[in-house]
């Protein structure tokens, strides 16, 4: 009832939009939309950080943190941050239509992201250990630790899927010098997930007085 | 019937129900056989149900994917992931035109109508719940409900279902009007737009199902520690339905902001945008950002109930306590929850207030007074609105030193809101007023919003809030702001754009009857709610003592509620019969200067036949020779 056909002369209901944005205009909008999405997600991660600073504190001592092993966490963090460099390299390669570097760099990004993810799941969460360092039921420490690392891990998984799709579509020849929006979007997202970790890592592992969790 | 059975709506619902049943059964049996876990059989009362709670949660989440995959709203994205390049499909695809409303369609006008129909449907369900518990409250003592838990489910469901309805109504207005008013052919991201609508359908189903799958007694706020310990496990459906609705909000908010920034017509600078678009952008910024925080709060409650993660319980095992491990804190939930849920009410009222500012100049035949101030006051309300959340917690154990800043920031909201009121007054001043139904609803909205606005600072001030917190005064205040800020403007918008949407004119007499029943009815309801609140009636209780001396008031509130319910049915009858009649509406029934009224009705598929151009100010009503937009007309006219 509400929508009449603008052009009846087009065949088979295939309507043409006279004001359809060009591909370049659409990419500009996509870019702004993705940055807005990143901004929106800032509120998600800020809420988790707020929970961390609200709950992990002592009225007298101030900020607290669970005593966790520092070495592996630092290594996983470095691996994730270096993967951002490869992601950037892949994006530049895609802009230069350099398929070899593109493939190499994306593979590196994927592997390093996967190392980080597996490190979090099997070491930090202790799924691969006989005696985990921390459990979800360990008071506010366990709850917020698993909420923060878990929410970040979901984003890393999304990023890995994104990298895999971009790798496949790149090898199908979908990206060109003029239009490699898919790679750019993937890169923005990947850098963003890394950036979040730059805030999460010190909040979880560095800030505050370490408290040993009994029983681990 | 054939089209209905093969529609995306039917497929989605079938997919959702099937995936729920299958995954619930699998997980349930897995838990039973592998871990030997049995559903404890507590003494069930009221509408409590013997479901396996963790299995229910997982199955509910999976059922969302069942809906989305079955209805096909994500098919294009899946194809893109698989390396194909699907085209946007426009039009009815060879089916009758009406089937577009129950199928996946990327046209923003179709999506706007879908939102509107969805909104009205959910509104009727939520209204029915309200009528049920108003009948219960008409007399002291329990009338027909068996116990308090049924009453609790009714008012809790009423709250969240109405919220879902209002969000759908906001979506209807911003989606239909946004692109049309800025001279665009569609939103920036049509597929995302369809997704925002369709993800709201399964979440509404989950909310409604929660009533029958255990019910819940936490109110729409779901405060821990009650929500983390209640035996009424429908609370999980409430939390998940609420959470999933947030995807809809975030996606449509992003879409509207990008659309307003990049899709405006030639010549339409920011300060020549229609005022409604400013309001929609302000609301969209809130939707796209703060919704994330409530998602965190709701996830935490689900995680605490399902996985035993202690976010909100201030109790901890002696071993952990001795080691100095901190416990949870229920106040944390209130902070994160209200950081969203206070701005959420601005998401509802900002578009409504935008409609008031948009329609007033048309019916007073005068320029809108202080256009730039009105435009910026919307942004101001949105920004100040992010800084007031803890005024919902003035009676909580939050440190007293935090309460005063929040009281002051709350009172600050009155400044940009006052800007709007004075602009409306100045616009009405010496205007050549006309009083068709949309104008009546605009004026009714202003009067009711004034009532809500004036009762606000009383609640925002710590000293008075100590007495009025959690009484019916809050209920009266809240309903006044929402009816004045959203419901009446929404009805005004429906009547105003009805000839544009359908090409037919609504029945003026029935419209006026609707108005003259509903607005006085609402005044009676809201004022008396405030009165019984001051006299000591608490919120959220099924019964009250006959010695409180508020029986007459309660009976009158119930009568007023029934009157409001009947008036809505009159509106629906009016809209349905008017849309079906043969006679066409005049081309520009309101003598509007807005571009959509210079284009044919109903609007063409892509709104305008060619790009329009803006050459003047939007609200120069009554000024000789002033033009706002040049709209290409079909050849031969």
């Amino acid at each position: 009832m509400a929508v009449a056909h603008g052009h009846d002369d087009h065949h088979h209901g295939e309507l043409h939009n006279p004001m359809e944005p060009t591909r370049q205009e659409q990419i500009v909008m996509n870019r702004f939309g993705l940055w807005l999405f990143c901004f929106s997600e800032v509120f998600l991660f800020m809420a988790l950080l707020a929970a961390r600073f609200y709950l992990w504190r002592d009225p007298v001592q101030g900020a607290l943190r669970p005593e966790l092993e520092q070495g592996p966490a630092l290594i996983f963090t470095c691996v994730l941050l270096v993967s951002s460099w490869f992601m950037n390299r892949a994006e530049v390669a895609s802009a230069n239509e350099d398929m070899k570097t593109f493939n190499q760099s994306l593979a590196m990004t994927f592997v390093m992201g996967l190392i980080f993810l597996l490190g979090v799941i099997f070491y930090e969460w202790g799924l691969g250990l006989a005696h985990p360092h921390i459990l979800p039921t360990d008071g506010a420490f366990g709850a917020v630790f698993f909420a923060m690392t878990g929410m970040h891990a979901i984003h890393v998984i999304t990023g890995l899927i994104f990298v895999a799709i971009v790798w496949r579509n790149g090898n199908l020849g979908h990206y060109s010098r003029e239009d490699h929006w898919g790679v750019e979007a993937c890169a923005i997202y990947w850098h963003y997930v890394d950036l979040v970790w730059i805030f999460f890592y010190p909040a979880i592992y560095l800030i505050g007085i370490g408290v040993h969790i009994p029983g681990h | 019937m054939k089209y209905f059975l093969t529609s995306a709506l039917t497929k989605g619902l079938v997919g959702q129900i099937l995936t729920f049943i299958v995954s619930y059964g699998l997980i349930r049996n897995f838990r039973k056989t592998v871990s030997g876990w049995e559903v404890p059989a507590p003494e069930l009362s009221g509408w409590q149900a013997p479901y396996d709670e963790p299995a229910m949660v997982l199955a509910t989440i999976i059922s969302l994917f069942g809906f989305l995959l079955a209805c096909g709203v994500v098919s294009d994205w899946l194809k893109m992931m698989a390396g194909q390049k699907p085209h946007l499909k426009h039009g009815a695809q060879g089916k009758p035109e009406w089937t577009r409303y129950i199928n996946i369609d990327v046209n923003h006008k179709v999506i706007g109508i879908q939102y509107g129909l969805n909104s009205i449907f959910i509104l009727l369900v939520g209204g029915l719940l309200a009528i049920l518990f108003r009948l219960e409250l008409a007399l002291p003592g329990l009338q027909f409900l068996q116990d308090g838990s049924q009453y609790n489910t009714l008012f809790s469901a009423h709250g969240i279902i109405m919220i879902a309805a209002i969000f759908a109504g906001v979506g209807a207005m911003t989606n239909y009007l946004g692109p049309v008013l800025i001279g665009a052919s569609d939103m920036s991201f049509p597929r995302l737009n369809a997704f925002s609508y369709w993800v709201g359908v399964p979440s509404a189903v989950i909310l409604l199902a929660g009533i029958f799958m255990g019910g819940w007694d936490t109110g729409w706020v779901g405060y821990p520690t009650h929500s983390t310990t209640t035996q009424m496990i429908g609370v999980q459906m409430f939390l998940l339905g609420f959470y999933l609705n947030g995807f809809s909000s975030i996606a449509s908010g992003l879409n509207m902001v990008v659309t307003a920034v990049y899709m405006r017509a030639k010549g339409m600078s920011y300060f020549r945008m229609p005022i409604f678009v400013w309001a929609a952008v302000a609301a969209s910024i809130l939707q796209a950002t703060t919704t994330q925080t409530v998602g965190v709060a709701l996830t935490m409650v689900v995680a605490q109930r399902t996985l035993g993660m202690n976010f909100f319980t201030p109790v901890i095992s002696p071993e952990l306590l001795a080691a100095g491990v901190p416990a949870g804190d229920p106040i944390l939930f209130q902070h994160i929850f209200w950081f969203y849920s206070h701005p959420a009410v601005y998401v509802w009222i900002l578009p409504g207030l935008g409609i008031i500012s948009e329609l007033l100049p048309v019916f007073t035949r005068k320029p809108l007074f202080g256009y730039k101030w009105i435009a910026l006051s919307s942004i101001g309300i949105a920004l100040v609105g992010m800084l007031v959340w803890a005024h919902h917690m003035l009676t909580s154990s939050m440190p007293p030193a935090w309460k005063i800043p929040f009281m002051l920031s709350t009172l600050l909201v009155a400044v940009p809101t006052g800007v709007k009121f004075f602009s409306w007054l100045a616009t009405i001043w010496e205007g050549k007023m006309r009083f068709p139904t949309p104008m009546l609803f605009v004026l009714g909205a202003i009067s009711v919003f004034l009532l809500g606005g004036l009762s606000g600072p009383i609640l925002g001030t710590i000293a008075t809030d100590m007495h009025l917190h959690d009484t019916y005064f809050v209920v009266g205040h809240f309903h006044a702001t929402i009816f004045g800020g959203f419901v009446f403007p929404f009805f005004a918008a429906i009547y105003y754009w009805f000839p544009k949407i359908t090409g037919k004119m609504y029945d003026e007499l029935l419209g006026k009857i609707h108005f003259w029943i509903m607005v006085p009815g609402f005044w009676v309801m809201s004022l008396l709610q405030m009165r019984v609140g001051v006299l000591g009636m608490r919120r959220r209780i099924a019964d009250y003592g006959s010695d409180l001396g508020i029986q007459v008031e309660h009976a009158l509130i119930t009568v007023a509620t029934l009157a409001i319910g009947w008036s809505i049915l009159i509106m629906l009858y009016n809209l349905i019969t008017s849309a079906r009649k043969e006679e066409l509406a005049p081309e520009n029934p309101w003598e509007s200067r807005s571009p959509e009224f210079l284009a044919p009705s109903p609007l063409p598929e892509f709104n305008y036949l060619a790009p329009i151009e803006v050459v003047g100010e939007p609200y120069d009503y009554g000024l000789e020779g002033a033009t706002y937009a040049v709209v290409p007309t079909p050849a031969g006219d």
Side-chain angles (χ1 to χ4, degrees):
Chain A
M1 75 191 167
V3 181
H5 292 277
H7 297 276
D8 291 328
D9 47 336
H10 286 284
H11 38 95
H12 243 60
E14 278 293 314
L15 301 171
H16 172 69
N17 181 355
M19 290 185 275
E20 183 158 2
T22 64
R23 178 67 186 156
Q24 290 309 317
E25 287 168 346
Q26 188 67 47
I27 288 177
V28 170
M29 293 194 286
N30 287 355
R31 192 175 288 132
F32 183 55
L34 184 58
W35 281 111
L36 269 181
F37 178 71
C38 291
F39 181 63
S40 158
E41 294 257 278
V42 167
F43 283 73
L44 167 73
F45 295 114
M46 286 294 281
L48 288 168
L49 279 173
R52 180 255 177 261
F53 284 102
Y54 192 91
L55 291 179
W56 291 7
R57 83 193 145 109
D58 181 89
V60 182
Q61 293 173 290
L64 304 176
R65 66 178 165 80
E67 243 177 32
L68 298 165
E69 271 198 66
Q70 294 285 345
L74 185 63
I75 293 170
F76 298 141
T77 304
C78 293
V79 169
L80 185 69
L81 295 189
V82 174
S83 76
S84 242
W85 186 81
F86 283 103
M87 187 70 237
N88 186 58
R89 193 156 168 261
E91 189 193 346
V92 174
S94 168
N96 291 332
E97 298 182 356
D98 174 359
M99 282 312 289
K100 191 170 163 243
T101 319
F102 174 79
N103 279 332
Q104 281 174 354
S105 308
L106 269 189
M108 282 305 286
T109 312
F110 188 88
V111 168
M112 296 179 100
L114 196 63
I115 291 173
F116 174 84
L117 182 69
L118 297 178
V120 167
I121 292 176
F122 289 103
Y123 194 82
E124 301 299 322
W125 292 1
L127 284 183
L129 303 178
H131 300 286
H133 319 288
I134 185 166
L135 290 171
T137 45
D138 283 335
F141 276 162
V144 175
F145 174 82
F146 279 88
M148 290 175 79
T149 50
M151 193 59 89
H152 185 258
I154 289 174
H155 283 76
V156 174
I157 293 170
T158 317
L160 288 176
I161 296 172
F162 205 160
V163 169
I165 292 169
V166 163
W167 175 80
R168 184 165 182 272
N169 283 352
N171 286 296
L172 288 173
H174 281 2
Y175 305 123
S176 63
R177 200 176 293 272
E178 295 76 31
D179 181 4
H180 52 280
W181 162 247
V183 190
E184 188 190 336
C186 181
I188 293 174
Y189 185 81
W190 191 260
H191 294 322
Y192 180 72
V193 173
D194 283 8
L195 182 71
V196 169
W197 189 250
I198 294 178
F199 287 90
F200 271 24
Y201 169 69
I204 295 170
Y205 290 92
L206 304 180
I207 298 173
I209 300 163
V211 175
H212 179 72
I213 304 170
H216 299 305
Chain B
M1 199 63 196
K2 181 187 91 186
Y3 292 116
F4 187 77
L5 287 178
T6 56
S7 68
L9 181 67
T10 313
K11 284 182 197 161
L13 290 175
V14 171
Q16 186 178 16
I17 293 167
L18 282 183
T19 40
F20 181 85
I21 293 172
V22 170
S23 48
Y24 178 82
L26 286 177
I27 301 164
R28 171 80 195 91
N29 277 310
F30 179 80
R31 282 164 58 80
K32 204 171 176 179
T33 49
V34 173
S35 63
W37 191 85
E38 254 318 313
V39 181
E43 287 164 32
L44 299 172
S45 67
W47 292 336
Q48 293 177 19
Y51 285 98
D52 178 355
E53 193 177 324
M56 188 173 93
V57 171
L58 259 178
T60 305
I61 296 170
I62 295 171
S63 80
L64 173 85
F65 293 100
F67 185 100
L68 293 178
L69 288 172
C71 82
V73 71
V74 290
S75 313
D76 274 6
W77 289 335
L78 293 177
K79 281 180 193 161
M80 286 180 199
M81 290 180 194
Q84 301 171 26
K85 291 184 174 175
H87 290 287
L88 272 182
K89 293 193 193 79
H90 299 294
Q93 309 297 321
K95 294 178 192 163
E97 197 66 16
W98 64 269
T99 59
R100 296 182 73 177
Y101 300 101
I102 51 172
N103 278 313
I104 310 296
D105 202 291
V106 291
N107 187 292
H108 76 97
K109 293 191 293 301
V110 174
I111 294 172
I113 303 291
Q114 286 175 330
Y115 267 118
L117 296 175
N118 203 5
S119 169
I120 289 172
F121 174 73
I122 309 176
L123 201 75
L124 289 176
V125 176
L128 194 66
L129 297 174
I131 286 170
L132 280 179
F133 65 71
R134 271 322 311 178
L135 289 174
E136 174 57 54
L137 287 170
L139 295 168
L142 281 185
Q143 267 51 253
F144 58 91
L145 293 179
Q146 286 144 19
D147 59 20
S149 76
Q150 289 187 344
Y151 179 85
N152 291 344
T153 296
L154 284 179
F155 81 73
S156 304
H158 166 74
I160 193 66
I161 285 170
M162 282 303 195
I163 287 167
I166 294 172
F167 271 116
V170 169
M173 293 198 285
T174 50
N175 276 289
Y176 194 95
L177 298 176
V180 164
L181 289 176
I182 62 173
S185 60
D186 208 324
M187 300 286 264
S188 289
F189 310 118
R191 289 187 186 94
L192 187 66
N193 202 17
F195 175 80
S196 324
Y197 167 72
W198 284 99
V199 79
V201 178
S203 41
V205 170
I206 292 170
L207 283 177
L208 292 175
I211 301 176
F212 306 104
M213 297 178 66
W216 70 100
D217 55 354
T218 61
W220 79 273
V221 293
Y223 273 11
T225 51
H226 186 54
S227 60
T228 51
T229 52
T230 177
Q231 293 296 310
M232 301 183 72
I233 59 172
V235 71
Q236 296 274 23
M237 304 295 267
F238 151 71
L239 295 164
L240 292 169
F242 193 168
Y243 177 81
L244 298 173
N245 238 319
F247 284 107
S248 172
S249 280
I250 294 169
S252 65
L254 293 176
N255 211 343
M256 187 64 226
V257 173
V258 179
T259 306
V261 170
Y262 283 109
M263 303 283 275
R264 280 169 292 127
K266 192 183 169 199
M268 187 184 283
S269 59
Y270 284 113
F271 284 111
R272 280 180 175 176
M273 280 200 305
I275 209 77
F276 172 78
V277 180
W278 272 100
V281 167
S284 298
I285 293 172
L286 289 177
Q287 267 187 302
T289 54
T290 57
T291 311
Q292 298 274 7
T293 66
V294 82
V296 172
L298 300 171
T299 318
M300 283 174 169
V301 177
V302 174
Q304 176 153 359
R305 280 190 75 91
T306 321
L307 305 171
M309 294 159 79
N310 183 3
F311 293 101
F312 301 127
T313 309
V315 183
I316 194 169
S317 76
E319 198 192 7
L320 292 173
L321 184 69
V325 174
D329 187 343
I331 303 296
L332 171 69
F333 176 88
Q334 300 183 19
H335 279 297
I336 309 181
F337 178 83
W338 287 115
F339 186 82
Y340 161 75
S341 295
H342 191 78
V345 300
Y346 295 134
V347 173
W348 314 334
I349 63 163
L350 280 171
L353 304 184
I355 293 285
I356 297 178
S357 299
E358 184 78 36
L359 265 49
L360 262 187
V362 181
F363 294 114
T364 56
R365 313 309 297 169
K366 272 184 63 194
L368 180 67
F369 187 88
Y371 168 93
K372 279 191 183 176
W373 287 90
I374 289 277
L376 293 175
S377 73
S378 292
I379 305 287
I381 290 177
L383 295 183
V384 178
M386 284 195 197
L387 302 173
V388 303
W389 74 90
H391 68 213
H392 293 269
M393 303 156 59
L394 292 181
T395 58
S396 76
S397 65
M398 183 172 70
W402 290 28
K403 291 179 182 170
I404 301 202
F406 280 107
M407 173 176 86
L408 296 177
S409 64
T410 303
L411 301 182
L412 196 63
V413 178
V415 175
T417 319
V419 167
K420 288 192 187 289
F421 266 104
F422 287 119
S423 152
W424 295 335
L425 280 181
T427 306
I428 292 172
W429 195 262
E430 293 193 334
K432 298 190 183 104
M433 305 254 274
R434 300 167 179 177
F435 298 100
T437 308
M439 177 61 163
L440 288 178
F441 270 102
V442 164
L443 295 174
I446 294 176
S447 76
V448 169
F449 194 67
L450 183 66
L451 175 69
L454 290 180
S455 53
I458 302 174
L459 289 167
T461 308
I462 298 170
T464 37
D465 187 58
M466 290 289 168
H467 298 275
L468 295 170
H469 188 87
D470 256 356
T471 67
Y472 256 71
F473 190 85
V474 179
V475 179
H477 159 74
F478 177 78
H479 283 82
T481 53
I482 300 309
F483 271 72
F486 172 79
V487 177
F488 291 143
F490 182 48
F491 290 163
I494 289 177
Y495 283 116
Y496 181 81
W497 277 285
F498 187 78
K500 189 81 286 190
I501 295 168
T502 61
K504 317 285 171 58
M505 198 57 172
Y506 63 86
D507 187 294
E508 191 65 53
L509 178 66
L510 285 177
K512 288 201 163 115
I513 291 173
H514 171 205
F515 173 83
W516 285 111
I517 295 176
M518 186 158 186
V519 173
F522 182 80
W523 270 92
V524 169
M525 183 183 102
S526 189
L527 281 175
L528 288 178
Q529 279 174 338
M530 291 183 192
R531 178 173 162 77
V532 297
V534 173
L535 291 176
M537 176 75 188
R538 306 254 308 140
R539 284 170 87 179
R540 297 177 170 160
I541 50 174
D543 194 12
Y544 50 92
S546 50
D547 51 347
L548 273 173
I550 51 175
Q551 289 184 42
V552 180
E553 283 90 340
H554 266 301
L556 279 174
I557 296 173
T558 302
V559 172
T561 312
L562 290 171
I564 292 171
W566 281 111
S567 74
I568 304 273
L569 293 183
I570 295 174
M571 176 185 81
L572 290 181
Y573 172 80
N574 185 1
L575 297 184
I576 292 168
T577 52
S578 304
R580 295 170 76 100
K581 69 185 178 189
E582 296 287 315
E583 184 193 348
L584 294 178
E587 274 200 1
N588 188 351
W590 319 117
E591 296 180 70
S592 168
R593 308 171 76 249
S594 199
E596 79 273 19
F597 278 103
L598 307 178
S601 305
L603 285 168
E605 176 76 21
F606 302 107
N607 300 341
Y608 303 103
L609 301 177
I612 67 169
E613 188 176 354
V614 167
V615 293
E617 302 301 321
Y619 298 107
D620 283 349
Y621 285 95
L623 297 186
E624 285 291 322
T627 313
Y628 175 47
V630 181
V631 177
T633 46
D637 271 18

